[in-house]
Amino acid sequence: MTHPVDQLHRETSYIAYHFHWALQDIHSLTHHERLRYVNEINRINTTINEGR
């Protein structure tokens, strides 16, 4: 099964925006790895926004 292109772009943009990683580095990750970083960014942002 291939990964939908729009979702790949959203994940890539999100990680690049927050971690400032190069496009090539992000695309070398598997979908599972990208999703782990997306979830970690969400966790960090939630923690910051809740003032913890």
Side-chain angles (χ1 to χ4, degrees):
M1 180 176 167
T2 60
H3 197 62
V5 173
D6 288 343
Q7 187 170 354
L8 174 62
H9 285 284
R10 282 193 296 273
E11 291 172 1
T12 301
S13 299
Y14 195 69
I15 294 168
Y17 177 80
H18 287 281
F19 287 164
H20 309 283
W21 291 356
L23 183 65
Q24 183 177 358
D25 292 336
I26 298 168
H27 283 175
S28 70
L29 300 170
T30 65
H31 170 63
H32 181 74
E33 292 168 328
R34 278 193 312 276
L35 194 55
R36 286 190 66 184
Y37 284 109
V38 166
N39 290 332
E40 185 61 22
I41 292 167
N42 283 333
R43 188 195 65 73
I44 292 167
N45 285 337
T46 298
T47 299
I48 291 170
N49 291 333
E50 291 177 352
R52 294 184 193 169

XYZ file of all heavy atoms in Angstrom:
450
model
N 0.850 -1.183 0.000
C 0.000 0.000 0.000
C 0.887 1.236 0.000
O 1.830 1.339 0.760
C -0.908 -0.013 1.223
C -1.812 1.171 1.305
S -2.909 0.974 2.733
C -3.560 2.594 2.815
N 0.602 2.167 -0.858
C 1.370 3.407 -0.889
C 0.745 4.424 0.055
O -0.420 4.343 0.394
C 1.412 3.999 -2.304
O 0.088 4.278 -2.719
C 2.104 3.060 -3.266
N 1.556 5.367 0.438
C 1.110 6.408 1.346
C 0.520 7.549 0.530
O 1.122 7.973 -0.452
C 2.314 6.873 2.166
C 1.959 7.623 3.375
N 1.238 7.083 4.400
C 2.202 8.890 3.722
C 1.073 7.989 5.319
N 1.651 9.099 4.940
N -0.655 8.062 0.888
C -1.244 9.158 0.114
C -0.302 10.366 0.046
O 0.288 10.764 1.048
C -2.509 9.492 0.891
C -2.814 8.283 1.702
C -1.481 7.640 1.985
N -0.174 10.938 -1.138
C 0.762 12.039 -1.377
C 0.435 13.252 -0.511
O 1.338 13.859 0.071
C 0.770 12.422 -2.873
C 1.603 13.670 -3.108
C 1.283 11.269 -3.705
N -0.837 13.605 -0.389
C -1.206 14.768 0.426
C -0.799 14.585 1.881
O -0.312 15.514 2.523
C -2.711 15.037 0.350
C -3.121 15.602 -0.988
O -2.240 16.087 -1.729
O -4.320 15.560 -1.290
N -0.976 13.385 2.398
C -0.601 13.121 3.790
C 0.918 13.176 3.951
O 1.429 13.699 4.938
C -1.142 11.774 4.261
C -0.915 11.561 5.751
C -1.644 10.357 6.290
O -2.418 9.728 5.583
N -1.403 10.042 7.527
N 1.641 12.650 2.967
C 3.105 12.718 2.995
C 3.561 14.173 3.047
O 4.441 14.530 3.836
C 3.690 12.022 1.771
C 5.209 12.133 1.604
C 5.940 11.493 2.773
C 5.634 11.517 0.286
N 2.945 15.041 2.256
C 3.317 16.457 2.252
C 2.988 17.115 3.602
O 3.773 17.931 4.102
C 2.614 17.209 1.117
C 3.202 16.923 -0.221
N 4.388 17.462 -0.652
C 2.766 16.133 -1.214
C 4.669 17.008 -1.859
N 3.688 16.208 -2.221
N 1.861 16.774 4.182
C 1.498 17.356 5.493
C 2.485 16.926 6.568
O 2.966 17.753 7.358
C 0.079 16.942 5.878
C -1.011 17.725 5.177
C -2.369 17.502 5.814
N -2.810 16.126 5.708
C -3.490 15.619 4.668
N -3.839 16.404 3.677
N -3.844 14.355 4.648
N 2.812 15.644 6.610
C 3.763 15.153 7.604
C 5.141 15.779 7.404
O 5.788 16.206 8.362
C 3.874 13.628 7.525
C 2.646 12.908 7.970
C 2.715 11.422 7.709
O 3.736 10.935 7.183
O 1.728 10.741 8.024
N 5.584 15.837 6.157
C 6.898 16.401 5.841
C 6.968 17.870 6.236
O 7.927 18.311 6.872
C 7.192 16.238 4.340
O 7.169 14.858 4.007
C 8.544 16.832 3.989
N 5.945 18.628 5.880
C 5.917 20.054 6.204
C 5.905 20.281 7.703
O 6.583 21.172 8.225
C 4.679 20.709 5.580
O 4.716 20.589 4.200
N 5.133 19.483 8.395
C 5.012 19.622 9.848
C 6.354 19.368 10.539
O 6.790 20.147 11.393
C 3.947 18.640 10.341
C 3.438 18.872 11.720
C 2.663 19.985 12.021
C 3.704 17.965 12.733
C 2.168 20.186 13.292
C 3.205 18.157 14.012
C 2.443 19.262 14.288
O 1.966 19.457 15.548
N 7.023 18.299 10.158
C 8.324 17.971 10.757
C 9.366 19.013 10.370
O 10.141 19.480 11.213
C 8.770 16.555 10.340
C 7.834 15.507 10.943
C 10.210 16.292 10.780
C 8.009 14.112 10.377
N 9.398 19.410 9.115
C 10.381 20.402 8.656
C 10.185 21.730 9.380
O 11.151 22.377 9.785
C 10.259 20.600 7.148
N 8.930 22.136 9.549
C 8.637 23.402 10.219
C 9.131 23.395 11.665
O 9.750 24.350 12.136
C 7.133 23.669 10.176
C 6.722 24.920 10.915
C 6.868 26.175 10.331
C 6.208 24.842 12.209
C 6.503 27.323 11.015
C 5.842 25.987 12.895
C 5.984 27.219 12.297
O 5.634 28.352 12.980
N 8.899 22.302 12.367
C 9.234 22.255 13.786
C 10.683 21.865 14.067
O 11.293 22.381 15.002
C 8.291 21.298 14.521
C 6.915 21.854 14.667
N 6.586 22.779 15.623
C 5.791 21.651 13.944
C 5.318 23.115 15.506
N 4.805 22.445 14.485
N 11.218 20.927 13.308
C 12.567 20.437 13.589
C 13.618 21.003 12.636
O 14.801 20.779 12.835
C 12.604 18.908 13.540
C 11.931 18.236 14.714
C 11.603 16.890 14.635
C 11.649 18.908 15.877
C 10.998 16.242 15.709
C 11.043 18.277 16.950
C 10.716 16.939 16.864
N 13.193 21.681 11.569
C 14.112 22.289 10.603
C 15.012 21.242 9.952
O 16.183 21.508 9.688
C 14.954 23.392 11.251
C 14.135 24.388 11.988
N 13.418 25.366 11.356
C 13.862 24.518 13.308
C 12.770 26.084 12.255
N 13.011 25.581 13.457
N 14.467 20.072 9.734
C 15.228 19.017 9.058
C 15.106 19.199 7.555
O 14.130 19.740 7.054
C 14.683 17.643 9.432
C 14.931 17.239 10.840
C 15.649 17.907 11.794
C 14.436 16.063 11.470
N 15.632 17.221 12.976
C 14.895 16.082 12.803
C 13.659 15.001 11.047
C 14.593 15.071 13.707
C 13.355 13.998 11.940
C 13.838 14.026 13.258
N 16.097 18.701 6.844
C 16.090 18.769 5.382
C 15.044 17.820 4.808
O 14.765 16.760 5.380
C 17.459 18.401 4.839
N 14.494 18.216 3.686
C 13.475 17.423 3.012
C 13.949 15.995 2.765
O 13.227 15.023 3.016
C 13.093 18.099 1.693
C 11.991 17.468 0.873
C 10.664 17.521 1.619
C 11.870 18.200 -0.451
N 15.175 15.849 2.296
C 15.727 14.522 1.996
C 15.787 13.659 3.255
O 15.511 12.464 3.204
C 17.111 14.662 1.383
C 17.723 13.348 0.972
C 19.079 13.537 0.308
O 19.541 14.663 0.134
N 19.704 12.462 -0.048
N 16.148 14.259 4.388
C 16.221 13.504 5.639
C 14.839 13.017 6.069
O 14.687 11.891 6.531
C 16.831 14.366 6.748
C 18.287 14.674 6.499
O 18.955 13.906 5.768
O 18.763 15.702 7.028
N 13.854 13.883 5.927
C 12.493 13.506 6.318
C 11.957 12.419 5.394
O 11.347 11.455 5.856
C 11.574 14.737 6.329
C 12.066 15.747 7.356
C 10.128 14.334 6.615
C 11.418 17.108 7.272
N 12.232 12.537 4.110
C 11.734 11.541 3.167
C 12.456 10.208 3.294
O 11.953 9.196 2.815
C 11.843 12.053 1.744
C 10.763 13.030 1.408
N 10.709 13.697 0.220
C 9.682 13.460 2.104
C 9.657 14.487 0.198
N 9.025 14.369 1.340
N 13.601 10.197 3.947
C 14.298 8.920 4.144
C 13.676 8.117 5.288
O 13.965 6.933 5.443
C 15.785 9.156 4.416
O 15.979 9.751 5.689
N 12.807 8.755 6.071
C 12.124 8.062 7.164
C 10.995 7.205 6.604
O 10.388 7.542 5.593
C 11.526 9.079 8.146
C 12.473 10.032 8.839
C 11.682 11.106 9.582
C 13.397 9.300 9.787
N 10.686 6.129 7.289
C 9.505 5.350 6.933
C 8.269 6.112 7.403
O 8.382 7.040 8.214
C 9.511 3.974 7.610
O 9.411 4.151 9.027
C 10.781 3.191 7.266
N 7.126 5.727 6.895
C 5.890 6.377 7.349
C 5.740 6.238 8.862
O 5.386 7.204 9.545
C 4.672 5.787 6.647
C 3.381 6.246 7.238
N 2.985 7.569 7.223
C 2.422 5.577 7.910
C 1.829 7.679 7.834
N 1.470 6.481 8.267
N 6.024 5.065 9.382
C 5.917 4.845 10.829
C 6.833 5.798 11.603
O 6.425 6.386 12.609
C 6.251 3.389 11.158
C 6.153 3.058 12.608
N 4.949 2.924 13.255
C 7.108 2.865 13.546
C 5.179 2.649 14.534
N 6.480 2.606 14.731
N 8.050 5.982 11.130
C 8.985 6.904 11.797
C 8.491 8.348 11.707
O 8.544 9.095 12.686
C 10.377 6.791 11.177
C 11.059 5.472 11.458
C 12.298 5.255 10.625
O 12.357 5.730 9.452
O 13.212 4.586 11.131
N 8.029 8.752 10.511
C 7.491 10.124 10.371
C 6.322 10.342 11.303
O 6.223 11.375 11.972
C 7.067 10.397 8.925
C 8.170 10.783 7.990
C 7.634 11.338 6.681
N 6.596 10.512 6.101
C 6.830 9.441 5.337
N 8.069 9.093 5.060
N 5.826 8.746 4.845
N 5.447 9.370 11.385
C 4.277 9.494 12.239
C 4.676 9.599 13.706
O 4.067 10.353 14.468
C 3.334 8.311 12.013
C 1.938 8.438 12.561
C 1.252 9.697 12.038
C 1.121 7.206 12.194
N 5.717 8.886 14.108
C 6.212 8.992 15.493
C 6.690 10.407 15.783
O 6.427 10.959 16.851
C 7.340 7.987 15.752
C 6.833 6.570 15.887
C 7.889 5.645 16.364
N 8.246 6.017 17.746
C 9.209 5.444 18.425
N 9.926 4.492 17.888
N 9.479 5.828 19.656
N 7.402 11.019 14.834
C 7.862 12.399 15.043
C 6.700 13.376 15.040
O 6.681 14.320 15.831
C 8.916 12.793 14.005
C 10.260 12.183 14.283
C 10.772 11.175 13.474
C 11.013 12.600 15.379
C 11.999 10.603 13.745
C 12.231 12.034 15.661
C 12.729 11.027 14.841
O 13.941 10.458 15.117
N 5.735 13.184 14.168
C 4.541 14.037 14.162
C 3.836 13.946 15.517
O 3.464 14.971 16.105
C 3.584 13.636 13.013
C 2.206 14.261 13.201
C 4.174 14.025 11.667
N 3.675 12.747 16.023
C 3.021 12.579 17.324
C 3.844 13.202 18.453
O 3.285 13.767 19.389
C 2.758 11.097 17.597
C 1.678 10.546 16.705
O 0.786 11.279 16.262
N 1.737 9.257 16.417
N 5.158 13.103 18.362
C 6.019 13.698 19.390
C 5.931 15.225 19.352
O 5.870 15.878 20.397
C 7.468 13.236 19.215
C 8.395 13.720 20.314
C 8.003 13.219 21.701
O 7.308 12.201 21.821
O 8.397 13.868 22.693
N 5.902 15.805 18.167
C 5.734 17.259 18.046
C 4.401 17.672 18.651
O 4.324 18.661 19.384
C 5.835 17.694 16.562
C 7.261 17.490 16.048
C 5.415 19.155 16.409
C 7.381 17.586 14.534
N 3.358 16.910 18.356
C 2.047 17.207 18.954
C 2.099 17.157 20.471
O 1.536 18.016 21.154
C 0.988 16.228 18.438
C 0.539 16.541 17.059
O 0.576 17.685 16.623
N 0.089 15.520 16.348
N 2.791 16.149 21.005
C 2.911 16.017 22.460
C 3.659 17.206 23.047
O 3.239 17.792 24.052
C 3.624 14.707 22.834
C 3.611 14.414 24.336
C 4.607 13.334 24.707
N 5.984 13.729 24.469
C 6.663 14.599 25.208
N 6.097 15.163 26.261
N 7.912 14.906 24.923
N 4.755 17.601 22.418
C 5.538 18.746 22.891
C 4.693 20.015 22.860
O 4.665 20.783 23.823
C 6.818 18.912 22.031
C 7.778 17.756 22.275
C 7.488 20.256 22.329
C 8.917 17.672 21.260
N 4.002 20.243 21.746
C 3.166 21.444 21.620
C 2.043 21.458 22.647
O 1.738 22.511 23.219
C 2.593 21.552 20.203
C 3.622 21.995 19.210
O 4.612 22.621 19.565
N 3.413 21.661 17.950
N 1.435 20.327 22.888
C 0.364 20.242 23.885
C 0.905 20.569 25.267
O 0.293 21.334 26.022
C -0.268 18.839 23.879
O -0.847 18.613 22.591
C -1.332 18.713 24.945
N 2.064 20.017 25.591
C 2.681 20.279 26.892
C 2.990 21.760 27.050
O 2.701 22.361 28.089
C 3.975 19.453 27.042
O 3.639 18.070 26.956
C 4.651 19.737 28.370
N 3.553 22.368 26.028
C 3.881 23.798 26.077
C 2.620 24.632 26.211
O 2.546 25.551 27.041
C 4.680 24.211 24.818
C 6.069 23.596 24.853
C 4.761 25.733 24.701
C 6.849 23.737 23.562
N 1.615 24.311 25.424
C 0.377 25.092 25.442
C -0.394 24.958 26.748
O -1.138 25.856 27.128
C -0.514 24.713 24.257
C 0.075 25.173 22.942
O 0.816 26.134 22.899
N -0.254 24.472 21.873
N -0.202 23.841 27.423
C -0.868 23.639 28.710
C -0.027 24.183 29.860
O -0.430 24.076 31.016
C -1.170 22.158 28.919
C -2.245 21.652 27.965
C -2.499 20.161 28.104
O -1.737 19.479 28.838
O -3.446 19.678 27.480
N 1.158 24.707 29.547
C 2.001 25.324 30.556
C 2.666 24.364 31.507
O 2.984 24.710 32.651
N 2.910 23.162 31.063
C 3.578 22.177 31.928
C 5.069 22.248 31.795
O 5.635 22.574 30.854
C 3.113 20.761 31.572
C 1.685 20.556 31.889
C 1.309 19.142 31.625
N -0.122 19.004 31.634
C -0.756 17.924 31.229
N -0.090 16.886 30.794
N -2.048 17.846 31.257
